[in-house]
Amino acid sequence: GQQLNQSPQSMFIQEGEDVSMNCTSSSIFNTWLWYKQDPGEGPVLLIALYKAGELTSNGRLTAQFGITRKDSFLNISASIPSDVGIYFCAGQNQGGKLIFGQGTELSVKP
Amino acid sequence: DAMVIQNPRYQVTQFGKPVTLSCSQTLNHNVMYWYQQKSSQAPKLLFHYYDKDFNNEADTPDNFQSRRPNTSFCFLDIRSPGLGDAAMYLCATARGNEKLFFGSGTQLSVL
């Protein structure tokens, strides 16, 4: 079945630093989505990507849909303490189902 | 305003005692999903409704059932909860094959 490899698993950074995480797959996806999940809460959609090569920003967040449609990255610039949480990539296939990456746990030291 | 609402936020049940989790949505989305998420893991799809059509994942245990009486509501029934069923249960909705919006989840504890 389709699987996503998300890296890194965890990151410990200083406030103000930039962050980068990525997902790769052996399969092609129609859509890539990036979610953030705070403890005890559901995932919140950050960015949705629909076309190969698409680069989309949402405030300090930038994500790209890889040209091969098998990968995506998420960058966070100038991190702040409220960026702490778990970030999940998710590939969406034609049927609409999401395949999640394993998550990247981000810790930001003030 | 919350658009995908899950109740309760926290649910405690006893081993073997049936429990029902609920989800409602104000988005008028035709697709509703139930995911199970265990600690430090990614959400795992249990099943989903595409309109009235129920789609079960192959590895979802029979212990898990779902009902969707109308577009706005969807229920997850766990017939005989075991200790291994303690998890966060997430409801999500979508319009067709578009992006999913998640509720805040119900954290289930099994004693």
Side-chain angles (χ1 to χ4, degrees):
Chain A
Q2 293 177 309
Q3 290 186 341
L4 293 187
N5 294 311
Q6 184 172 350
S7 64
Q9 277 192 323
S10 60
M11 302 183 74
F12 297 85
I13 63 168
Q14 198 77 28
E15 182 177 1
E17 290 183 358
D18 296 344
V19 171
S20 184
M21 59 193 78
N22 70 84
C23 274
T24 60
S25 171
S26 57
S27 304
I28 289 172
F29 289 103
N30 292 334
T31 303
W32 281 92
L33 304 168
W34 284 92
Y35 289 88
K36 178 175 183 261
Q37 188 172 26
D38 292 328
E41 298 290 334
V44 174
L45 183 65
L46 299 174
I47 292 181
L49 301 159
Y50 301 102
K51 295 180 184 177
E54 179 182 353
L55 184 71
T56 297
S57 292
N58 178 9
R60 294 178 294 106
L61 278 60
T62 302
Q64 185 159 31
F65 193 146
I67 199 74
T68 65
R69 294 170 62 194
K70 293 182 179 180
D71 63 301
S72 178
F73 71 74
L74 174 71
N75 287 344
I76 306 172
S77 63
S79 58
I80 59 178
S82 62
D83 290 334
V84 165
I86 301 179
Y87 292 79
F88 287 100
C89 65
Q92 191 170 32
N93 59 28
Q94 204 159 4
K97 285 167 43 172
L98 288 186
I99 309 296
F100 280 91
Q102 301 96 325
T104 296
E105 184 170 8
L106 179 64
S107 301
V108 180
K109 186 177 179 182
Chain B
D1 291 336
M3 296 178 287
V4 183
I5 303 159
Q6 291 190 243
N7 284 306
R9 289 295 308 275
Y10 302 92
Q11 176 74 56
V12 181
T13 191
Q14 291 180 328
F15 183 94
K17 184 175 181 182
V19 66
T20 295
L21 311 181
S22 74
C23 178
S24 64
Q25 52 129 340
T26 60
L27 298 165
N28 203 32
H29 284 171
N30 63 320
V31 190
M32 294 187 78
Y33 298 83
W34 278 105
Y35 284 82
Q36 179 193 65
Q37 186 179 27
K38 296 192 175 180
S39 183
S40 302
Q41 296 184 20
K44 178 180 179 297
L45 182 63
L46 295 173
F47 28 57
H48 73 282
Y49 276 94
Y50 198 110
D51 297 316
K52 295 181 180 179
D53 294 332
F54 178 70
N55 299 273
N56 199 28
E57 292 301 295
D59 56 353
T60 298
D62 292 340
N63 198 23
F64 292 88
Q65 304 285 318
S66 186
R67 296 170 284 135
R68 189 179 186 186
N70 53 53
T71 300
S72 301
F73 285 86
C74 196
F75 299 99
L76 170 63
D77 300 309
I78 309 177
R79 293 193 295 190
S80 182
L83 298 179
D85 296 328
M88 170 78 89
Y89 289 88
L90 296 164
C91 173
T93 73
R95 182 172 56 197
N97 297 333
E98 296 182 6
K99 53 189 183 258
L100 273 65
F101 292 91
F102 285 84
S104 297
T106 294
Q107 184 67 50
L108 177 69
S109 300
V110 182
L111 304 180

